[in-house]
Amino acid sequence: TFKFFPDVTSALDALKNKQVDGPSGLPRQFDQIRERDRRIATYTLNTSQYMMLFFKSSGQGVLADASVRSALARAIDRVQILDTVFSNRADLALGVLPKGSLGYDSTLAPITHDIDSAMRTLKAAGWKELAKDGYTALWEKQERDRLEKTKKDTADEQKESAPETTLLPPPTLEKYWEKNGVILTITLTAVDTPELATTALLMKQAWEALGIPAEIVMVSNAQLSKEVLQPRAYMALLTNIVIGADPNPYPLWHSTQVEYPSLNLSQFQNKDLDALLDAARKDIAADERAIQYKKIQTLLHRELPAFPLVNPWYTYAIDRRVQGVTVGRMMIPADRFATMTSWYVKTKRVWK
């Protein structure tokens, strides 16, 4: 029998009151209940869900440069996210394919937190460090120009105003990065959930420690599709995605999939990648697809149109009177019932 609850708190109350034998997808606060109630057994399953940072790499923006994407990724402390956000109940992601999936390549070099490497990457790409005084002078000029424009527009309301340009934030950091008159800044959009909100804040702090002003825009699930995904109205997007056992990366990465409702959220376009994705779709044999998938993963790992952060675990609780429970890898939540035919509650002695 399945019972449905409006929120996690209600499901946990039902578990404490013995109204259910096992709610699914338990959050971190469940640890306090588990410590007090020894009748509850918990099982941890690896999942195919990823927390992923997508860089919108189309057009002429700063994120079109793979060096900038690499520097932003190396500034992020994923171990801190693992500890602070997930209480170490997650794995660090390695590449864009789930561990254990077809074509997964465990030999990829992990992208680790390294501020010095991020700085060297930016410098090699032509970005120059700008002291706070220099940035302040640019910001003050911007504000003067904006004030003059406001006065002019007010005096001539009939004249169509020029499009608003991206404004520099007030000078609060000790250093900045400049290239060809452009200051490196980033705006991060994230769905307003506790895990994503905390992760976004940690990323903002990491980027600003590197000298990159960062703005966070939180949106609700209701806003996500119409106001963010449909118009592709984001610079960088932090969200969760689920990838199957046969990952079929075509929808996420092929250049024909950049427009809504397709799923190339990075709007990444690369002819070599398209060729690999097309070849993988034509291969019927799993071993041939696996070869293509490894090549795809290597290319994406190098170009970084998206940065996989962590692979959260799925915690499943069940009353200890239920026996015979075994767990394995879970691609979708229903997979926790894969061995349900072996579960049992009642036992009795029999004569042999």
Side-chain angles (χ1 to χ4, degrees), residues 97-313:
L97 301 186
K99 183 178 181 180
S101 68
L102 186 67
Y104 175 76
D105 188 356
S106 62
T107 65
L108 292 174
I111 297 174
T112 57
H113 174 57
D114 190 336
I115 291 292
D116 290 337
S117 176
M119 292 176 61
R120 290 194 299 270
T121 299
L122 288 175
K123 290 178 180 178
W127 292 89
K128 299 177 181 179
E129 287 189 69
L130 183 65
K132 186 175 183 179
D133 290 346
Y135 177 84
T136 301
L138 289 176
W139 180 79
E140 289 175 345
K141 181 180 183 303
Q142 165 198 271
E143 293 302 294
R144 288 194 301 269
D145 292 346
R146 188 158 65 96
L147 181 60
E148 288 298 320
K149 178 180 178 299
T150 301
K151 291 179 179 178
K152 185 177 180 181
D153 290 345
T154 302
D156 187 5
E157 295 181 355
Q158 300 302 317
K159 184 178 179 180
E160 184 177 350
S161 298
E164 186 70 53
T165 57
T166 301
L167 297 177
L168 298 176
T172 57
L173 308 183
E174 293 304 313
K175 67 176 181 180
Y176 298 82
W177 295 91
E178 179 269 338
K179 180 179 180 180
N180 299 328
V182 175
I183 300 297
L184 181 54
T185 65
I186 187 166
T187 300
L188 175 64
T189 301
V191 179
D192 195 3
T193 67
E195 291 82 7
L196 292 172
T198 305
T199 300
L201 180 59
L202 293 174
M203 290 165 59
K204 171 182 169 67
Q205 293 169 351
W207 289 335
E208 292 188 341
L210 179 60
I212 302 175
E215 178 186 1
I216 299 175
V217 177
M218 302 303 299
V219 298
S220 66
N221 277 310
Q223 294 173 296
L224 180 63
S225 179
K226 186 175 181 180
E227 298 181 21
V228 178
L229 298 183
Q230 185 172 340
R232 295 297 198 244
Y234 51 86
M235 184 178 182
L237 177 66
L238 180 65
T239 189
N240 293 317
I241 64 169
V242 177
I243 303 175
D246 186 334
N248 184 21
Y250 186 97
L252 280 172
W253 307 114
H254 200 277
S255 63
T256 61
Q257 306 297 301
V258 297
E259 300 297 334
Y260 183 85
S262 298
L263 298 176
N264 186 343
L265 300 179
S266 296
Q267 296 194 301
F268 184 64
Q269 301 182 58
N270 181 287
K271 292 182 179 179
D272 293 335
L273 178 59
D274 284 351
L276 292 172
L277 291 165
D278 290 335
R281 293 190 92 190
K282 295 174 182 176
D283 288 326
I284 299 176
D287 57 345
E288 294 296 327
R289 288 202 310 281
I291 293 173
Q292 301 299 337
Y293 286 172
K294 285 188 177 182
K295 293 178 181 179
I296 290 167
Q297 189 175 14
T298 298
L299 189 152
L300 291 171
H301 193 66
R302 181 181 70 244
E303 296 294 330
L304 276 180
F307 185 34
L309 300 175
V310 297
N311 172 212
W313 299 344

